[in-house]
Amino acid sequence: MKKVFSYLLALTAIMVFTACNNDDPVNKQSFSGTINNRLIDGNEITFSQGTASAEVDYTNKIIKITTSYKDANGETHNITTPEMKMSLDKTGTNYSFNNANTSSLLEGLTGNFDLATGSLWFRFTVDGATVVSSNYLLYAYVTTTVTNPDNNFNYSHEASAYWFLPDATGETCSMQISNFAPNINGSVQAATIEYKGLKLTPTATGYTVSAAEVESSYSGYYTITDLNFVLDGDGRIIDGSFKCADLDFKVAGYMFPSAI
């Protein structure tokens, strides 16, 4: 899928999850920022936000992560992974990694890191529960299909990206759309547009996002209704729809460029 999203969105992402190069001749970067967690223990889902940092050695293709999450009792847990080997796929931006040397404390750790968007996602099992974490709920690898319900004429494009930013409780979020084209011909009308106060529900497989009606950051313009998104595949797959300007929008795609 084509990865096109506005410069402003990319710049904001870099500011939220900052990176800094070391002077070491080995090509290294370190990242730190907010991490969104879901702890799944049977039928109980616990959302929390913590702090995560990652050290990436591109020369030797190694990543090491320090992260925090809360359990169902509100207790904070801090974890540092061992150094893990990364593999770069054919897209040239998407690294995958896993902890081959599993232990009783940190089992089955697997994850992805995308150079193009800065998205970091990982999952592991600890004390019988599964923890799924991501710094961004950012979907740049998507197809948006816009349909005129009056004549069923539709147009599909890959220009827009969708970014959901949860609040600290995991109950609401804002949504930013880059390269927003609220028309049937794919003409971009807003480089970045934001919708606040959407209902967010953490689930066993990701999140749902919904709103009956929500105003945009362009006061008086681009009101959205009937918004429903499912962020599935442990948050890596997006599927959803909404209405705007008497048109129907359908969104489908991925957090990472490779099919999951």
Side-chain angles (χ1 to χ4, degrees), residues 29-91:
Q29 283 186 312
S30 59
F31 306 85
S32 62
T34 299
I35 196 81
N36 301 293
N37 307 300
R38 289 179 302 112
L39 184 144
I40 303 101
D41 191 359
N43 295 322
E44 190 168 12
I45 313 298
T46 302
F47 174 87
S48 65
Q49 284 187 335
T51 300
S53 62
E55 299 174 2
V56 182
D57 177 344
Y58 296 104
T59 301
N60 297 302
K61 294 184 173 60
I62 289 172
I63 187 170
K64 183 178 181 180
I65 300 169
T66 297
T67 187
S68 64
Y69 68 92
K70 290 183 179 179
D71 61 25
N73 297 318
E75 182 180 352
T76 298
H77 299 263
N78 298 296
I79 285 179
T80 298
T81 72
E83 291 185 341
M84 297 172 288
K85 197 73 175 177
M86 302 189 302
S87 297
L88 185 63
D89 70 13
K90 62 182 180 181
T91 67

Side-chain angles (χ1 to χ4, degrees), residues 193-196 198 213-224:
I193 192 169
E194 185 171 22
Y195 297 87
K196 296 182 177 180
L198 310 181
E213 181 174 322
V214 60
E215 298 292 329
S216 79
S217 52
Y218 288 72
S219 180
Y221 295 92
Y222 311 127
T223 298
I224 277 180

Side-chain angles (χ1 to χ4, degrees), residues 53-230:
S53 62
E55 299 174 2
V56 182
D57 177 344
Y58 296 104
T59 301
N60 297 302
K61 294 184 173 60
I62 289 172
I63 187 170
K64 183 178 181 180
I65 300 169
T66 297
T67 187
S68 64
Y69 68 92
K70 290 183 179 179
D71 61 25
N73 297 318
E75 182 180 352
T76 298
H77 299 263
N78 298 296
I79 285 179
T80 298
T81 72
E83 291 185 341
M84 297 172 288
K85 197 73 175 177
M86 302 189 302
S87 297
L88 185 63
D89 70 13
K90 62 182 180 181
T91 67
T93 69
N94 180 32
Y95 284 100
S96 61
F97 55 87
N98 63 76
N99 177 18
N101 299 315
T102 59
S103 68
S104 59
L105 295 178
L106 190 62
E107 300 176 355
L109 190 150
T110 184
N112 292 87
F113 169 55
D114 185 13
L115 284 172
T117 63
S119 292
L120 174 68
W121 173 96
F122 52 93
R123 175 179 59 201
F124 58 89
T125 300
V126 60
D127 295 331
T130 299
V131 179
V132 185
S133 305
S134 57
N135 60 336
Y136 307 138
L137 299 176
L138 171 59
Y139 304 87
Y141 307 95
V142 300
T143 298
T144 302
T145 301
V146 187
T147 302
N148 184 340
D150 293 335
N151 56 20
N152 287 323
F153 181 81
N154 64 75
Y155 176 83
S156 296
H157 65 84
E158 298 176 355
S160 297
Y162 299 80
W163 188 11
F164 301 90
L165 297 93
D167 69 0
T169 68
E171 297 177 352
T172 67
C173 70
S174 62
M175 176 181 70
Q176 291 186 6
I177 306 175
S178 67
N179 295 334
F180 185 47
N183 48 61
I184 207 67
N185 59 11
S187 176
V188 172
Q189 300 296 308
T192 303
I193 192 169
E194 185 171 22
Y195 297 87
K196 296 182 177 180
L198 310 181
K199 180 181 179 182
L200 179 72
T201 304
T203 70
T205 59
Y207 301 86
T208 61
V209 183
S210 61
E213 181 174 322
V214 60
E215 298 292 329
S216 79
S217 52
Y218 288 72
S219 180
Y221 295 92
Y222 311 127
T223 298
I224 277 180
T225 65
D226 304 288
L227 182 145
N228 286 283
F229 278 95
V230 176

